[in-house]
Amino acid sequence: MRIATFNVNGITSRLPALLRWLEETRPDVACLQELKAPQDKFPEAAINAAGYEAIWHGQKSWNGVAILARGSKPQEVGRGLAGDAEDEQSRYLEAAVDGVLVACLYLPNGNPAPGPKFDYKLQWFERLIARGAELLDSGAPVVLAGDFNVMPTELDVYKPERWTSDALFRPETRDAFHRLLAQGWCDALRTMHPGEKIYTFWDYFRNAYQRDAGLRIDHLLLSPALAGSLRAAGVDRDVRGRDKPSDHAPTWIELDLKNF
DNA sequence: ATGGCGATTATTAATCGA
């Protein structure tokens, strides 16, 4: 089973690039973030025509997440994280696909930091950590996939010293990510490629992609029930180098569930 | 250290992302 995560930065303007990538790589599950489209503007017909069924949680202008499955409808488990009744941002969606619980998440950016946006990021992180504990307690096979807006270590930033005060790399942010991992999650990309420079995002400025000035902020975390099934992981870097690209590249894992 | 690009929304400029 191939599971991918892709921050599309606007599904309306990214639809041709998304469809091309789906056709080329045929993931079994695709988690999308930053739809930047209201609920009724999701291009469901085009997704269906590509062989996928989808559930999504849209929002006008910002955020928005979706889970696509090839040839079957993702069975929704829930949307949104508990712990803040006031939170209206569409950033979290859970679904069951072929016996695997897939959580698609778009963690807040948090800049500028410090400030209210950074506070929101850290609070959102704590709510995710609480949900992570529940999911692990269930013993279910779970993948947490999405744009975490965190570079976990210095290896995950092209120039770490430039990013130490940024919301994506501040000590509080990294600490939260590491507390999440310490619950028992497996960082799939890093596990398959220890010590390697791996980026999933290159900003639009200053030829960042051409200079390989990137960040690793899109992650797939596996529960212990799934970690032993991990066979491969990677980033579809070339997608970032095409016309009209997202600033993120699709990131994926391959699980062997034959003996599951 | 700054500003650069791209998408969206409401009316050609502001906001947001990372």
Side-chain angles (χ1 to χ4, degrees):
Chain A
M1 175 183 257
R2 176 179 285 240
I3 303 176
T5 180
F6 186 15
N7 179 322
V8 294
N9 188 17
I11 195 163
T12 306
S13 45
R14 206 68 57 223
L15 190 58
L18 172 65
L19 294 174
R20 180 181 170 190
W21 167 74
L22 284 174
E23 188 58 43
E24 287 171 349
T25 68
R26 306 305 288 164
D28 297 286
V29 181
C31 296
L32 309 181
Q33 302 87 34
E34 276 208 87
L35 303 180
K36 289 182 162 181
Q39 187 69 11
D40 62 354
K41 291 289 193 285
F42 185 85
E44 184 176 23
I47 298 289
N48 290 345
Y52 287 84
E53 296 195 57
I55 60 171
W56 64 95
H57 191 192
Q59 181 182 331
K60 189 180 174 184
S61 305
W62 317 118
N63 311 315
V65 287
I67 299 176
L68 281 48
R70 187 155 56 86
S72 72
K73 183 91 170 177
Q75 298 302 302
E76 180 165 336
V77 174
R79 53 184 62 199
L81 287 168
D84 181 0
E86 310 289 298
D87 188 359
E88 309 227 314
Q89 301 190 27
S90 300
R91 296 180 175 276
Y92 189 84
L93 191 55
E94 280 180 11
V97 182
D98 291 340
V100 176
L101 183 61
V102 178
C104 173
L105 64 101
Y106 175 42
L107 207 136
N109 173 308
N111 278 307
K117 292 190 174 183
F118 190 57
D119 295 340
Y120 174 66
K121 176 177 197 161
L122 295 181
Q123 285 158 13
W124 203 95
F125 226 137
E126 295 307 321
R127 294 161 62 200
L128 176 64
I129 287 170
R131 182 58 182 157
E134 290 178 353
L135 292 169
L136 289 181
D137 285 346
S138 77
V142 184
V143 181
L144 302 182
D147 177 0
F148 285 69
N149 271 315
V150 183
M151 296 85 87
T153 71
E154 297 203 337
L155 182 58
D156 303 312
V157 200
Y158 66 100
K159 197 172 276 197
E161 66 277 12
R162 281 264 182 97
W163 288 83
T164 48
S165 60
D166 190 278
L168 280 68
F169 200 52
R170 288 175 71 94
E172 304 94 312
T173 307
R174 279 186 274 171
D175 175 72
F177 186 82
H178 290 117
R179 281 187 289 114
L180 175 65
L181 275 191
Q183 292 180 325
W185 299 97
C186 165
D187 177 346
L189 271 284
R190 186 50 74 211
T191 299
M192 292 303 294
H193 304 284
E196 265 182 50
K197 183 174 78 173
I198 307 167
Y199 299 143
T200 67
F201 166 92
W202 298 261
D203 86 31
Y204 289 124
F205 314 143
R206 295 170 301 189
N207 292 317
Y209 181 67
Q210 287 74 14
R211 296 187 296 119
D212 200 24
L215 310 172
R216 188 172 76 96
I217 56 178
D218 299 276
H219 306 296
L220 296 119
L221 308 187
L222 309 181
S223 70
L226 275 182
S229 305
L230 180 61
R231 292 294 177 272
V235 179
D236 294 327
R237 279 181 62 109
D238 56 308
V239 173
R240 176 63 182 84
R242 296 174 179 173
D243 283 344
K244 296 269 292 174
S246 169
D247 39 7
H248 295 250
T251 305
W252 54 268
I253 58 171
E254 192 77 46
L255 301 174
D256 179 3
L257 301 179
K258 279 201 298 288
N259 300 312
F260 193 71

